[in-house]
Amino acid sequence: MLALWVVLGVLALVLIYGLYASNRLVRTRNRVDNAWSQIDVQLRRRYDLIPNLVEAVKGYAAHEREVFDHVAEARAQAQKASTVGDQAQAENQLTQGLRRLIAVAEAYPQLKASENFLALQEELTSTESKIAYARQFYNDQVAALNTYVQSFPSALVARMGDFAPRQFFDIDDPVRGPVSVDI
C-alpha cells in the first residue's frame, strides 16, 4: 500500500512539473513572438522613413542613381523577407545602402544644413536605436526559450509540446569592425 502511494506521489510530481514546464515554455515562446513583433514595428517605421530620406538626398545629388537604386532594392528585399535569417541578411544590405546614402549626403553642405534632412536623419538614428534595443530583447528571449527547449528535463516536455529552438536575429553591427580614426 505504501508503495502505491509513493508511485502516485512520484507521478503527481512528474505531472506537476510537466504542467509547470509546459506553461513556462508557452510563456517564453509568447515573449519571443512579442519581441519579434516589436522588431517588426521598428523595421516598418524605418522602411517608411527611407523614401523620404532618399527624396531629400535626390534633390541635391540626382547623379547618384546607383546609391538610390541600391537603397530601394534593399528596402524591397527587407520588406519581403519571411524568416529571421532572411530578414537579417536583408537588413544588412539595407544598412549598407543607408550608410552609402548618408555618405553621399555628407558631400553636400546645403543638404546637411537642411532642416528636413536633419529631421529625417535624427528620426532614422532614433529608429536604429529602437531596432537595436528590440533586437537585443528578442535575442534574450530566444536564448531563454532555446535554453528551456534544450535543457533536461524541460526538453522532454518541449518535444511533446512541439516546441523548437528559434533563430537569433543577428545583423552586422557597425561597431564590430575595426574603428577608423582620421587625424
Side-chain angles (χ1 to χ4, degrees):
M1 189 65 161
L2 179 63
L4 178 65
W5 285 109
V6 169
V7 169
L8 288 175
V10 168
L11 287 176
L13 288 175
V14 167
L15 179 65
I16 289 170
Y17 176 77
L19 292 172
Y20 168 76
S22 178
N23 286 337
R24 184 176 61 179
L25 286 162
V26 168
R27 187 172 46 251
T28 307
R29 181 180 59 195
N30 289 343
R31 285 183 184 149
V32 168
D33 292 342
N34 179 50
W36 182 255
S37 70
Q38 295 304 315
I39 289 174
D40 192 50
V41 165
Q42 295 306 324
L43 292 176
R44 294 203 185 291
R45 184 172 174 214
R46 181 186 196 203
Y47 303 151
D48 291 345
L49 286 170
I50 290 170
N52 295 331
L53 191 62
V54 168
E55 286 304 314
V57 176
K58 263 187 189 179
Y60 290 88
H63 61 282
E64 299 285 353
R65 183 93 182 139
E66 178 192 336
V67 174
F68 303 137
D69 290 345
H70 177 78
V71 170
E73 177 62 28
R75 178 180 178 258
Q77 290 300 319
Q79 288 178 310
K80 286 192 257 179
S82 59
T83 67
V84 174
D86 291 345
Q87 190 73 55
Q89 186 176 6
E91 290 304 317
N92 287 333
Q93 291 299 313
L94 185 55
T95 299
Q96 286 177 348
L98 287 173
R99 284 187 193 137
R100 287 175 57 198
L101 183 67
I102 297 299
V104 166
E106 294 290 323
Y108 297 90
Q110 307 92 342
L111 175 60
K112 287 182 3 183
S114 162
E115 286 184 32
N116 184 32
F117 177 75
L118 291 174
L120 287 169
Q121 193 173 18
E122 177 60 34
E123 188 67 26
L124 183 63
T125 301
S126 170
T127 301
E128 295 292 340
S129 295
K130 291 174 184 174
I131 290 170
Y133 176 79
R135 181 172 55 100
Q136 178 185 359
F137 182 73
Y138 171 80
N139 285 339
D140 288 346
Q141 297 307 312
V142 167
L145 178 65
N146 290 351
T147 299
Y148 295 145
V149 167
Q150 296 169 350
S151 298
F152 182 81
S154 61
L156 300 173
V157 176
R159 278 191 213 113
M160 288 188 293
D162 199 30
F163 292 91
R166 297 281 183 96
Q167 186 175 3
F168 289 98
F169 185 47
D170 289 327
I171 57 175
D172 290 342
D173 195 347
V175 297
R176 286 187 185 172
V179 177
S180 62
V181 177
D182 223 355
I183 299 178

